[in-house]
Amino acid sequence: MGTARADRRGTGGAERPVLGISAYYHDSAAALVADGVPLAAAQEERFTRRRHDSGFPAHAVASCLREAGLRLDELAAVAFYEDPALKFRRVLATWLATAPHGFPVFRRAFPQWAGWKRRALDDVRAHLRELAPGQTLPPVVAYRHHASHAASAFFPSPYPSAAVLCVDGVGEWATTTLWHGRGTDLVPLAELRFPHSLGMLYSAFTYFCGFKVDSGEYKLMGLAPYGTPRYAPLIRERLIDIKPDGSFRLDLRHFTFQYGRTMVGRAFEELFDGPRRTPEGPLTEREFDLAASVQQVTEEVLLRLARTALERTGERRLCLAGGVALNCVANGRLLADGVCDELWIQPAAGDAGGSLGAALAESHRRGAPRAHVARGSDAMAGSLLGPAHSDREIAEFLTDHGYPAVRLPERKLTERVAAELARGRVVGWFQGRMEFGPRALGNRSILADPRDPATQSTLNLKTKFRESFRPFAPAVLAEDAKDWFDLAQESPYMLLTAQVAAARRREIEPPAEGVKGLDLLRVPRSTIPAVTHVDGSSRVQTVTAEHNPRFHALLTAFRDRTGCPVLVNTSFNVRGEPIVRTPQEAYACFMRTRIDLLVLGDHLLDKRDQPEWREEADWRATIPMD
């Protein structure tokens, strides 16, 4: 612990650190920045075990301070990721504009908005006082939601200047913004406002296809390759008017999100062949085609917006943030179509990353430099910014509970694990600092052999307990990536989709040419079928020794043994559960699922050696579906 001790000199020295906070909508988080450098960041859900926790991030704040060895009264400021008063005015204006339809929601929600939500900064101060009784609070400042997104996109990027595009559901008013980043300056150029929102359009289809809003959008993206975009012309004609520059307007007669508790109603149903799919109900060709259609339209809008941002700034480099920036398929199109020369996406692109953006914005406002740019690297440290557990802590945990384990030197450990992976065994991999953002990047991961066609269904149904259609991502040695994927640049944060390289693809046999829907899963398309989606693409993570030396060493050992520098890398959790944070959580997930081996730091555990696992209640009943 205490891995990032900050320089806390006063006037005349380095600027004191800044704490950033996002909270009260979803994915609350905290981040700590010193001299423009992220020291620590974590999402509250990892501590409370409530997915997308929206409460004040008390545990995340305490963790960030502990990692840096700081007290609250040693900070220069606390930066909140949005302007609560401006957001209140938007909510009030929306209710008034949609009267009388929105009155039931207005009646339920207005007391909170008239009270603490409008004065959220006071609530932040109250929680901080509880965390640090007797300490003098630093000033609490607010940045607008999209300013926080833009700061998180540009300031940690490796570029001295770039165009910046932020797209999400909604902040205060903004839903889409264009910026120009130069040095430590961010200049706003253009803005689209609520209720005209690309994020809301995508979420409407997420909801209509039976998935959870603000959670299931990635499922819709994964479903899209199973269908054909036959509804795309209808979406363009009836739902969204897209201009050549990427600006757009929604036809609000087909949506209910602006005044109701649902995303769409009867008008949407009439347009798209019947009622909404029941959650957990069977998927039909309609859902496949709806997903393919809205994905195509979303890509079209993003490509036009990106071209406009680059034209207006004269840049060839682009930075992205906002929830829509997690659409890795669209991101891959930006590079594959040559829209930009280089692309950098904030790994915590959603609201959690707003905490980091607000802290960075305040740090640079106070004069912090962007020293990392001169080194040609980003400032995210591989996004490994969360808390760590030392080998001593891990050893004590194992001893206290009597869990059999073998402790091995790093080289023997990676060679042994690579051999077990090559035998088809599934490995829980728990190392170092936890990732910040929604992706597991090799420190809180479940790993498997991508060459086995059965791996994808085994992991989905028996390990992750999730839908069979969900694709898995490959982690690949950065130096070997171009031999395996058509990737134009490195992708360290698993936010770009690329086609599997031609040399690794397999010809589709004639009997499989007419296969449709989920039956496409049974058609091998490459020599690494477990990470090849049905359209021949993969969501790629490139791994370097600089950012994650142990994970890189494991991939190297697997390559040396098998000739394949690729592993399946999926998050260390089950469906509906946040990614594991502690050795205790990792061990429980290991014993509850079909994971064969668990690696905790230097310690290797084989399930066959473990004592019988018993729980008083069915653990799956305690985890809500995502």
Side-chain angles (χ1 to χ4, degrees):
M1 298 295 212
T3 56
R5 181 71 182 180
D7 184 342
R8 294 171 289 159
R9 290 174 288 165
T11 304
E15 179 60 54
R16 288 184 296 162
V18 175
L19 177 70
I21 290 174
S22 62
Y24 306 135
Y25 181 48
H26 60 86
D27 295 320
S28 65
L32 192 65
V33 169
D35 290 327
V37 178
L39 299 180
Q43 292 139 273
E44 187 69 4
E45 67 166 22
R46 307 289 171 85
F47 300 87
T48 62
R49 312 309 297 161
R50 293 192 296 271
R51 191 90 183 272
H52 305 297
D53 194 330
S54 63
F56 179 81
H59 299 89
V61 168
S63 174
C64 288
L65 293 173
R66 186 166 55 248
E67 286 293 316
L70 288 168
R71 288 162 49 101
L72 193 63
D73 59 6
E74 294 176 296
L75 304 180
V78 175
F80 193 64
Y81 83 128
E82 65 182 11
D83 182 339
L86 183 59
K87 187 169 185 176
F88 169 71
R89 290 198 289 274
R90 188 263 297 170
V91 170
L92 186 60
T94 301
W95 280 331
L96 292 173
T98 58
H101 301 289
F103 182 72
V105 173
F106 172 84
R107 183 176 56 190
R108 285 190 296 270
F110 186 74
Q112 281 192 334
W113 275 106
W116 73 270
K117 280 194 174 183
R118 183 163 57 97
R119 297 185 294 274
L121 296 187
D122 291 338
D123 198 66
V124 168
R125 293 185 186 96
H127 280 290
L128 291 173
R129 289 190 191 96
E130 290 178 6
L131 283 175
Q135 295 183 32
T136 301
L137 289 186
V140 178
V141 298
Y143 282 84
R144 291 195 179 185
H145 189 99
H146 269 240
S148 296
H149 275 322
S152 79
F154 176 66
F155 288 138
S157 80
Y159 310 143
S161 65
V164 181
L165 173 60
C166 302
V167 188
D168 65 1
V170 62
E172 297 89 1
W173 278 103
T175 65
T176 303
T177 52
L178 309 183
W179 307 72
H180 193 184
R182 287 175 289 191
T184 57
D185 292 328
L186 260 174
V187 178
L189 300 178
E191 175 180 298
L192 297 177
R193 290 190 155 203
F194 184 84
H196 304 289
S197 165
L198 189 62
M200 289 294 189
L201 174 70
Y202 205 87
S203 291
F205 280 87
T206 300
Y207 171 83
F208 191 67
C209 289
F211 304 123
K212 275 190 178 181
V213 173
D214 295 328
S215 172
E217 283 77 6
Y218 57 93
K219 297 185 185 182
L220 195 71
M221 182 181 67
L223 201 65
Y226 293 93
T228 57
R230 63 186 172 99
Y231 293 107
L234 188 60
I235 294 172
R236 295 187 193 97
E237 178 187 346
R238 302 293 296 275
L239 295 187
I240 182 170
D241 178 20
I242 310 168
K243 304 302 182 185
D245 65 357
S247 61
F248 57 87
R249 291 183 65 83
L250 300 183
D251 185 337
L252 298 173
R253 292 173 298 179
H254 294 92
F255 301 93
T256 59
F257 64 78
Q258 64 274 33
Y259 57 78
R261 302 188 72 180
T262 60
M263 298 298 295
V264 299
R266 185 170 298 174
F268 204 91
E269 294 177 352
E270 291 173 355
L271 204 57
F272 295 110
D273 304 327
R276 173 197 184 207
R277 169 184 169 252
T278 303
E280 307 304 319
L283 288 162
T284 69
E285 188 174 344
R286 183 187 69 158
E287 284 75 51
F288 302 146
D289 293 347
L290 286 169
S293 301
V294 73
Q295 179 66 32
Q296 184 183 89
V297 171
T298 297
E299 291 173 21
E300 178 185 341
V301 174
L302 284 175
L303 265 62
R304 292 188 188 188
L305 287 169
R307 290 190 180 99
T308 298
L310 293 163
E311 289 169 3
R312 292 193 59 171
T313 59
E315 300 283 354
R316 290 300 304 160
R317 293 164 167 165
L318 179 66
C319 299
L320 298 179
V324 178
L326 294 171
N327 191 308
C328 58
V329 178
N331 297 342
R333 280 283 307 279
L334 291 171
L335 283 176
D337 288 15
V339 174
C340 56
D341 293 341
E342 295 180 73
L343 178 63
W344 193 87
I345 307 145
Q346 166 55 236
D351 279 7
S355 63
L356 178 62
L360 286 165
E362 179 66 11
S363 183
H364 290 299
R365 188 190 71 80
R366 291 170 173 269
R370 296 178 67 222
H372 65 278
V373 173
R375 300 190 297 271
S377 62
D378 71 33
M380 292 298 295
S383 211
L384 304 177
L385 296 169
H389 289 78
S390 68
D391 248 30
R392 178 184 57 82
E393 291 172 316
I394 291 169
E396 289 177 355
F397 160 72
L398 295 172
T399 301
D400 290 347
H401 291 84
Y403 297 146
V406 177
R407 187 170 187 173
L408 298 171
E410 180 173 324
R411 184 170 179 178
K412 287 188 176 180
L413 179 70
T414 53
E415 289 179 349
R416 169 74 182 278
V417 174
E420 297 287 1
L421 286 163
R423 289 175 51 204
R425 305 191 80 192
V426 177
V427 176
W429 184 254
F430 183 101
Q431 301 291 328
R433 297 185 73 178
M434 182 175 67
E435 299 90 341
F436 180 54
R439 310 294 185 213
L441 300 171
N443 277 18
R444 302 290 185 276
S445 293
I446 297 172
L447 308 175
D449 187 344
R451 301 170 302 162
D452 184 352
T455 295
Q456 199 252 8
S457 60
T458 299
L459 285 178
N460 267 333
L461 300 177
K462 298 180 180 180
T463 302
K464 302 281 282 187
F465 300 105
R466 67 185 198 181
E467 302 94 337
S468 63
F469 70 84
R470 302 266 291 275
F472 287 102
V476 58
L477 289 171
E479 57 267 35
D480 293 334
K482 288 185 178 179
D483 294 331
W484 291 79
F485 304 98
D486 294 337
L487 196 63
Q489 66 173 54
E490 288 191 359
S491 177
Y493 303 121
M494 208 184 281
L495 287 170
L496 292 173
T497 294
Q499 288 290 305
V500 174
R504 312 296 172 183
R505 297 176 199 157
R506 287 179 175 169
E507 291 293 328
I508 305 300
E509 299 295 329
E513 289 179 353
V515 174
K516 292 183 178 181
L518 296 184
D519 289 339
L520 290 167
L521 282 169
R522 298 197 296 269
V523 182
R525 296 169 186 276
S526 78
T527 59
I528 44 173
V531 292
T532 304
H533 206 7
V534 296
D535 60 352
S537 69
S538 291
R539 175 163 50 93
V540 183
Q541 178 199 1
T542 53
V543 180
T544 64
E546 175 189 3
H547 283 147
N548 199 327
R550 179 163 286 193
F551 194 32
H552 186 273
L554 177 61
L555 282 160
T556 301
F558 189 76
R559 179 194 63 188
D560 292 346
R561 178 173 290 273
T562 66
C564 176
V566 181
L567 286 172
V568 176
N569 178 14
T570 188
S571 55
F572 201 155
N573 63 339
V574 298
R575 180 186 177 188
E577 176 190 52
I579 295 173
V580 300
R581 177 180 60 89
T582 67
Q584 294 93 326
E585 292 159 5
Y587 187 85
C589 188
F590 164 55
M591 295 303 294
R592 290 167 169 172
T593 66
R594 290 289 186 92
I595 298 173
D596 301 301
L597 297 168
L598 173 63
V599 183
L600 297 173
D602 293 337
H603 298 80
L604 177 66
L605 292 79
D606 192 313
K607 183 171 285 179
R608 295 172 298 191
D609 301 330
Q610 304 306 306
E612 184 180 357
W613 180 256
R614 292 182 178 178
E615 295 183 85
E616 292 183 2
D618 181 0
W619 61 272
R620 278 177 287 192
T622 68
I623 299 175
M625 289 295 182
D626 60 358

